[in-house]
Amino acid sequence: MPYSHHSHSGQFCGHAKHTLEEVVQDAIAKGFHTFALTEHIPRPIEDFYPEETDSHTVESLAKLFDDFLVEADRVRAVYSSQIKLLIGFESEWIRPSTHQIIEGIFKKYKFDFFMGSIHHTHTIPIDFDRVTYERARAVAGGTDEKLFENYFDEQYEMLKALNPPVVGHFDLIRLLSDHRDTSFQGMNGVWERMLRNLRYIASYGGVLELNSAGLRKGLAEPYPCSPVCLAFQEMGGRFAMSDDSHGTDQVGTNYPRLLQFIQKVGIKEVFYVDRNAEITDSRFSAGLSSIIVDDLVQLPFWISAQ
């Protein structure tokens, strides 16, 4: 019965599929213990995703997020005896107004946790398609290395401002680059920034998401890659599992490979957000629990997941 801290549904995310309830039903059928509902936050019109431009206004996108939270509460009540559902959101970090949006969300609602992610650099999406990635790279100075440095600098600003309890797809910047499967050798400026960010996450007790979507999208390793995981372990860092699913067909996708990766890099303990655990951050309604990897591998989930 493993855990996922990151999911989207077609009901509340234009680039996903299926209803929120259908996604939850599939997670139950696949034997998940804990499953987090983390739709994207509202954004100003200049930061709409491409599929939102013709279907939403600023007001309707904000209402969609409100509707998500109502439905998430309903679904959690209906299926409370079958699965532990967490209600959160996935942040952005695009421009100064993003911080104001997130603070406004915190004032309006109480969440179990949230996923602190960054999908833009220089306000340009870096994981949408190759053409858009290249536009961001050109603005950064024309090389992957420069864009990577800028990405991790902007990520650092997000980390300092928000102290996200779980940090999403730490090295997402790899996805559409010429350095998809890299050890960052020769990129000293990039590696120094990554280490700085990891130290900061460890300093406030943040958890790094092990995100299997990187495998689904053709990377050799999940987010983050093994050099990052090894460095974070040396800092005493903690990890949580996620599938970053965007519909029922992606719930738990590549989880056996994710488990193999966890074992390969020597992670001994996996953490998960737990509404029954001690709350150490007053912003949230949940704390953290953990399972030893030796116990994780014995769970019946892995038999059906093969």
Side-chain angles (χ1 to χ4, degrees):
M1 298 184 294
Y3 319 86
S4 180
H5 294 79
H6 192 165
S7 73
H8 302 278
S9 70
Q11 189 174 358
F12 300 107
C13 173
H15 54 272
K17 297 185 297 182
H18 307 115
T19 67
L20 192 73
E21 187 164 12
E22 287 170 337
V23 170
V24 169
Q25 289 171 338
D26 195 70
I28 292 170
K30 290 174 178 172
F32 272 82
H33 173 282
T34 295
F35 197 82
L37 312 176
T38 55
E39 302 290 6
H40 293 287
I41 63 171
R43 282 153 276 109
I45 195 165
E46 59 266 29
D47 296 324
F48 274 23
Y49 298 132
E51 73 276 0
E52 295 168 341
T53 304
D54 295 329
S55 57
H56 279 291
T57 63
V58 171
E59 292 75 19
S60 70
L61 198 62
K63 183 178 184 302
L64 188 69
F65 187 76
D66 291 341
D67 291 346
F68 152 62
L69 295 172
V70 172
E71 177 66 356
D73 271 329
R74 184 192 73 81
V75 171
R76 176 155 67 186
V78 169
Y79 297 100
S80 61
S81 64
Q82 300 176 66
I83 193 170
K84 295 182 182 297
L85 293 177
L86 303 168
I87 300 176
F89 62 89
E90 184 178 15
S91 75
E92 300 284 359
W93 193 258
I94 307 172
R95 60 186 78 241
S97 60
T98 311
H99 192 186
Q100 299 165 16
I101 292 169
I102 295 169
E103 290 302 320
I105 290 171
F106 279 138
K107 290 178 181 177
K108 189 174 182 180
Y109 293 107
K110 185 89 167 185
F111 298 89
D112 295 323
F113 82 111
F114 79 96
M115 178 70 60
S117 299
I118 177 170
H119 301 91
H120 300 70
T121 305
H122 299 292
T123 75
I124 301 170
I126 48 81
D127 67 329
F128 176 67
D129 60 25
R130 176 70 182 198
V131 171
T132 310
Y133 175 87
E134 289 176 351
R135 181 158 60 92
R137 183 168 63 186
V139 172
T143 67
D144 280 349
E145 185 170 6
K146 288 294 185 184
L147 182 58
F148 282 25
E149 289 177 355
N150 295 165
Y151 170 89
F152 287 109
D153 281 342
E154 292 190 31
Q155 184 186 69
Y156 187 52
E157 294 304 312
M158 181 273 289
L159 294 170
K160 289 191 298 181
L162 300 177
N163 281 13
V166 182
V167 178
H169 39 60
F170 178 83
D171 53 0
L172 178 69
I173 190 66
R174 292 190 290 129
L175 178 62
L176 296 173
S177 73
D178 295 331
H179 296 82
R180 286 166 56 88
D181 296 310
T182 179
S183 63
F184 304 99
Q185 290 181 348
M187 293 187 178
N188 293 336
V190 176
W191 186 242
E192 290 169 1
R193 287 167 170 80
M194 294 170 76
L195 291 177
R196 173 200 62 196
N197 293 10
L198 293 171
R199 290 190 194 100
Y200 185 79
I201 296 166
S203 74
Y204 71 81
V207 175
L208 209 58
E209 173 195 47
L210 297 166
N211 184 318
S212 68
L215 300 171
R216 170 167 51 83
K217 295 181 179 183
L219 298 180
E221 295 183 337
Y223 313 114
C225 61
S226 51
V228 173
C229 292
L230 292 169
F232 197 51
Q233 285 184 84
E234 291 181 0
M235 300 172 189
R238 302 182 290 184
F239 299 87
M241 302 173 71
S242 291
D243 59 20
D244 197 355
S245 55
H246 285 63
T248 60
D249 55 327
Q250 296 175 4
V251 172
T253 298
N254 286 310
Y255 255 41
R257 290 179 64 193
L258 183 63
L259 178 62
Q260 291 171 4
F261 176 80
I262 288 170
Q263 294 172 306
K264 183 185 79 170
V265 297
I267 295 170
K268 302 300 183 185
E269 187 176 16
V270 169
F271 287 79
Y272 57 95
V273 177
D274 185 355
R275 286 168 58 85
N276 294 320
E278 178 185 1
I279 297 172
T280 57
D281 188 328
S282 61
R283 295 179 297 172
F284 307 117
S285 304
L288 284 171
S289 294
S290 68
I291 182 171
I292 301 301
V293 171
D294 286 346
D295 294 334
L296 177 68
V297 301
Q298 301 300 321
L299 299 177
F301 170 90
W302 304 108
I303 299 173
S304 59
Q306 297 300 324

